[in-house]
Structures are given as C-alpha cells and as structure tokens.
Amino acid sequence: MKNALILSGGGARAAYQVGVLKAVAEILPAGACNPFPIICGTSAGAINAVTLAAHEGCFADAVQELEGIWRSLEPGSVYRYGLREVLRGVVRMLGSLGNQGVGRTRPIALLDNSPLRELIERTVHFERIDRAIGRGDIDAVSVTAMGYTSGQSVAFFQGRRDLQGWQRHRRIGRPVLLNADHLMASSAIPTLFPTTRIEYEYFGDGALRQLAPISPALHLGADRVFIIGVSGNRAPKHGGGTRTRHSPSIAQIIGQMLTSAFVDTLEGDIEHLERINELVRLIPDEIRAAQGIPLKPVENLIIWPSEEVDKIAGRKVRYLPKSLRAFLRSTGATTSGGGAMAASYLLFAQPFIDEMINLGFRDTMWEAESIASFLAVK
C-alpha cells in the first residue's frame, strides 16, 4: 500500500500544512523516514511538496527545515510591497488595456513576486529529488499548473522511470525534471502574481481548472491519500443566513472566486472519491476479480482547519505592509465582512503564519490516534 500526501493551494494559508506535518512527524517514531512515497502539491502547496521531496534525511528533519523557512517569512520574502511597486503594478495593469490586455514587456500582475523565486532557488534543492528517487525515499513528486492557452491542468511530475504520463479531459500528467519555473507557475495566483512560461506556453496557478486534485496521486500509484486542506469553512451552518448591510465588496467577490479555485474543487473531489468508494465496496471482491474491474476503494484521511481561516485573517490583516493594506482597504479586503478572505492569500506575516502553523499542529494532534492507524505506526 502506497501513501500519497496531497497539499492544496491557498497562498499564506498553506502555513497550516506545516503545522499538520509537524504533528505527523511527532506522531511517527523518532528518526522515521518519509511515510509518503508520493507527494502532490498545488500552488503554495507545491512549494511545500517539493521542499519535502528534496530533503535528505528523516521526515522530522525535513519538516523542521520547512517550518524554519515559513517561520522566517515576511511579505517581502514573497513579493515587493513598496508603494511605488504596488502603484507600478496597478499602472501596468491599466496600461495593458491599450495593448489588448497584454503586458508589453512581461506578463501583467499587480505584484512583483521575484523575491519568491529568489527564496525558492535559495532553499529548494531540486538536484536532490533524483537522488531521493534513486534511494527509494520517494516514488514521485507532482506540481500542478494551468496552461492559459490550452486551458489544461498539467501535473508536472518527477518520479521513477517506469511511471508514465497520462491524458484525461482537460488534465494531463507530464514527466519532467522539476525546477523553479514549475513552482513559480503553480503558485501564480491570477492577477496578483505574473504567469510563468514553461516551454511553449504560459502557466498560472494550479488550482485553476484543477477539476480532480486527487487524480495525480492515483495516477502515480497511490492506494491511500492523506489530504491537507486549508479551508475552515467546509461545513458552514445552514439556515436563514446573515443579514448584510451592503452589496459584496470587490475583495469579497475576488475572495469567493479564489476560494472556488483553491477550495471547492478539492472538497468536490473528496466527495466524489467517497461516493466512488461506497459504490466499489458494494461489489464483492470475487466479482471484481472475475469481471476484471480495476477499481478498488482508496482509503483517505483529511485534515481541515477547525477554525474559520477568514476570521483569523481578519484579525491579522493589520500586519500587512501599510502600502498594500491601503490598497486592499480600498477594495474592502481589510474588513471582517468577507473581504479578509482575499487578503488571507497574501498574509505572509508572522502573526498569521504562527497562528496557522499552531492551528495545524493542534488539529492534527487531536486526530493522533487516527493518523497513527492510517500510517500504521506501532
């Protein structure tokens, strides 16, 4: 049985994944190897995934290194936030309207995320991935991005030589040697960060058009999936709703669009997986074997934030740089009435990161017994 780790996107929200992984490392025996031979990531989750896969050493050391990176982050580690830089991004986007919406010298975006590339090139050791595969530490690591021309969700993966690519409707798997371009493309949140060209096409955030986030893990040979989500709103309370005083702000609309990409498809795919599992279990094993039915249940374990991330972001948005906070305030992204949802993707500030890591650790330790059973910890 092969375990796969699936790390979803969500910008700064992905700090939650670090807390979960930190707890998993504590649940495992001291000095345990990586329990996930298949690691799949999207957007910020892709950066976490490749950082883990490229580490040489035990799982706890890999997680400690990843936590060290996150604990040292600040907004300037990911994007340039000076007033001049923010205004330049706004002017560049407005100026593109005179050029059919295309950037004249480079892809248009509100923010310059070149510091993120510098961080990736400094901290992620891509050359170690092949060595990890050769030692048998991992089978494959996958990074998903979306092609703006083809509209396809592409899972770029580096793995064992016997692993083949795949092609399904609007989603393909392509074997490559992963590098910083793949991570920059996968984490390019639309309009906020610029697209990245890979070979013949420009790619953006992998959460876009990712209709089946669990699919790459299954194609790469996973029998069981450990999924870390970044939404704390999976089961909202139903009822008459909350009375609102005004129409949704720009930030609230954008926040819901981003949530649709980063969260809804994963939740929908999990629901689909659980439904398929129920149907497969209705077919006796002997009948499946006799009829040559290749389906089998995929065991899964999911960790979600126990608190609403949007509310946490609303309390921490004041820690964003003044220039960016002023811009976000004008769109309603600093209010608690839903606008903070959009700001949460950019909240690479230590108070927010610390709380998300701590929340991930706490949520996971509450499920320690289930996780130990899932990972067959004795």
Side-chain angles (χ1 to χ4, degrees):
M1 302 290 285
K2 290 188 177 180
N3 298 328
L5 175 64
I6 298 178
L7 302 174
S8 60
R13 291 169 173 243
Y16 179 82
Q17 298 168 355
V18 179
V20 174
L21 294 170
K22 181 180 178 180
V24 170
E26 185 161 314
I27 294 168
L28 292 171
C33 297
N34 170 32
F36 306 107
I38 298 165
I39 307 177
C40 302
T42 301
S43 193
I47 299 175
N48 288 343
V50 175
T51 301
L52 286 177
H55 182 83
E56 293 180 333
C58 70
F59 184 70
D61 288 345
V63 173
Q64 185 177 28
E65 179 183 19
L66 182 62
E67 182 184 9
I69 294 171
W70 275 90
R71 295 282 192 187
S72 66
L73 286 183
E74 59 177 5
S77 306
V78 180
Y79 50 82
R80 303 191 187 283
Y81 59 78
L83 180 60
R84 181 179 300 177
E85 285 81 2
V86 173
L87 290 177
R88 185 179 295 137
V90 174
V91 170
R92 189 181 299 116
M93 295 186 73
L94 293 175
S96 70
L97 299 178
N99 191 41
Q100 299 181 329
V102 178
R104 296 183 183 277
T105 58
R106 56 179 175 173
I108 57 171
L110 176 63
L111 299 172
D112 174 5
N113 65 344
S114 56
L116 176 61
R117 177 179 286 274
E118 296 168 6
L119 176 68
I120 289 171
E121 292 176 344
R122 186 173 67 253
T123 60
V124 181
H125 305 281
F126 294 95
E127 71 281 358
R128 296 178 180 174
I129 297 176
D130 259 348
R131 298 205 294 266
I133 294 170
R135 290 192 305 268
D137 293 345
I138 61 171
D139 286 354
V141 56
S142 167
V143 170
T144 299
M146 192 277 290
Y148 273 96
T149 300
S150 66
Q152 289 183 319
S153 175
V154 181
F156 297 99
F157 70 90
Q158 187 170 342
R160 298 193 328 262
R161 292 186 179 181
D162 60 305
L163 292 174
Q164 302 295 316
W166 61 89
Q167 184 158 4
R168 297 293 186 271
H169 180 65
R170 291 293 182 187
R171 50 191 172 90
I172 65 175
R174 185 187 303 173
V176 297
L177 290 177
L178 293 171
N179 58 44
D181 285 343
H182 299 101
L183 297 186
M184 292 297 292
S186 183
S187 59
I189 299 175
T191 70
L192 294 179
F193 298 145
T195 58
T196 298
R197 183 163 189 160
I198 300 176
E199 298 177 5
Y200 53 85
E201 188 174 7
Y202 281 94
F203 286 85
D205 201 291
L208 300 175
R209 304 299 293 271
Q210 192 179 30
L211 303 178
I214 301 172
S215 173
L218 303 182
H219 280 292
L220 293 171
D223 303 296
R224 308 157 87 237
V225 292
F226 185 91
I227 304 167
I228 307 177
V230 295
S231 168
N233 311 319
R234 190 186 183 201
K237 296 179 180 178
H238 296 283
T242 302
R243 183 179 297 276
T244 56
R245 294 176 297 174
H246 51 74
S247 62
S249 65
I250 294 174
Q252 191 171 357
I253 294 172
I254 293 175
Q256 291 292 356
M257 291 173 61
L258 292 176
T259 297
S260 176
F262 286 111
V263 177
D264 293 352
T265 52
L266 177 61
E267 293 179 351
D269 205 25
I270 290 170
E271 185 176 336
H272 179 69
L273 175 65
E274 292 171 347
R275 184 66 56 85
I276 293 296
N277 281 343
E278 292 173 3
L279 293 174
V280 171
R281 291 189 182 103
L282 293 176
I283 307 174
D285 293 344
E286 58 272 18
I287 294 180
R288 274 190 277 137
Q291 297 293 328
I293 300 175
L295 298 177
K296 58 183 178 180
V298 177
E299 188 177 350
N300 61 86
L301 195 153
I302 308 154
I303 302 292
W304 301 90
S306 59
E307 299 180 19
E308 293 189 33
V309 178
D310 302 340
K311 290 186 177 180
I312 298 174
R315 296 196 302 267
K316 307 298 182 182
V317 72
R318 67 182 185 274
Y319 294 106
L320 280 169
K322 290 182 179 179
S323 56
L324 187 59
R325 196 165 68 245
F327 174 79
L328 292 175
R329 185 184 298 115
S330 67
T331 66
T334 58
T335 67
S336 57
M341 185 188 303
S344 69
Y345 295 95
L346 294 173
L347 253 172
F348 293 94
Q350 279 309 303
F352 180 71
I353 289 173
D354 290 345
E355 186 158 346
M356 291 300 291
I357 291 177
N358 294 338
L359 178 62
F361 182 84
R362 186 169 64 251
D363 287 349
T364 308
M365 293 307 295
W366 283 341
E367 303 290 337
E369 187 174 336
S370 299
I371 292 170
S373 176
F374 183 85
L375 298 177
V377 176
K378 298 180 180 179

